[in-house]
Amino acid sequence: MDLAATSYPAPWGVSLKAISGGITVLLIGIAVIGLFTGPKSNWIWMLSMVVIPLGILAVTALFTVRGYALTPDTLFVKRLIWNTEIPLQGLQAIEADSNAMEGSLKTMGNGGLFSFSGSFRNKRLGSYRALATDTRRCVVLKFDQKVIVITPDKPKDFVDQVKAFKSMA
């Protein structure tokens, strides 16, 4: 990642906090109950009641969206231990839209355990990819063949920065 990249945190919205907190408590509760009440010698029990719930937490935590870094050519989505790179070539339009994810259905991916990540669909955008944490801070990036929704802490500033880089203003 470019050292001169402009960084934008990805704050968690109320719904992400509620979903992540509730599911985390549920999965840890299942694991604790499974560990203390089940037959420890039964590997199927231990796998289904302890390992799988904790594994779900671990894997989804890896895909947490921590923030975004922007260079003139690339958007980096900061994950827990890596960055997802999105080249900005072919970007046709960008806008801040606090209602962009309204009425969305998840078609594949994560619908709220540490992030809203994956494929979604709604009437306004059609099919799109979300890499989001707060559905009220949406920035919609429209490319030739795809639409991506992200949620930086300051959507308008993010849009202005991309337009400055791309001279799209």
Side-chain angles (χ1 to χ4, degrees):
M1 181 169 33
D2 186 347
L3 293 176
T6 306
S7 290
Y8 296 87
W12 285 24
V14 172
S15 61
L16 185 61
K17 289 176 185 176
I19 293 167
S20 296
I23 298 296
T24 297
V25 168
L26 177 68
L27 290 172
I28 290 173
I30 290 169
V32 168
I33 290 168
L35 189 62
F36 290 110
T37 64
K40 291 174 185 57
S41 60
N42 183 331
W43 70 270
I44 294 174
W45 174 268
M46 294 302 286
L47 178 69
S48 62
M49 295 298 290
V50 179
V51 175
I52 290 175
L54 296 179
I56 290 169
L57 281 176
V59 169
T60 54
L62 290 174
F63 288 88
T64 297
V65 174
R66 296 184 305 116
Y68 310 93
L70 185 62
T71 69
D73 300 323
T74 307
L75 166 63
F76 295 92
V77 180
K78 298 177 186 178
R79 304 293 193 141
L80 194 60
I81 57 174
W82 77 88
N83 295 320
T84 299
E85 287 186 41
I86 300 171
L88 294 176
Q89 69 186 69
L91 180 65
Q92 293 180 335
I94 183 169
E95 67 176 330
D97 181 353
S98 62
N99 298 315
M101 291 184 72
E102 219 170 70
S104 292
L105 296 172
K106 175 185 60 169
T107 56
M108 179 188 253
N110 179 357
L113 186 53
F114 307 124
S115 69
F116 299 101
S117 299
S119 300
F120 291 77
R121 174 181 256 315
N122 68 16
K123 287 182 181 179
R124 181 187 292 162
L125 299 177
S127 294
Y128 67 93
R129 179 180 181 193
L131 300 156
T133 57
D134 183 352
T135 60
R136 295 291 171 211
R137 297 177 193 256
C138 295
V139 170
V140 180
L141 297 101
K142 293 182 180 178
F143 295 85
D144 294 333
Q145 300 293 317
K146 65 185 174 186
V147 175
I148 297 174
V149 175
I150 63 169
T151 56
D153 66 328
K154 296 178 181 169
K156 185 183 177 329
D157 290 353
F158 184 92
V159 169
D160 290 346
Q161 183 68 57
V162 171
K163 286 181 176 180
F165 282 151
K166 295 298 180 187
S167 299
M168 294 172 61

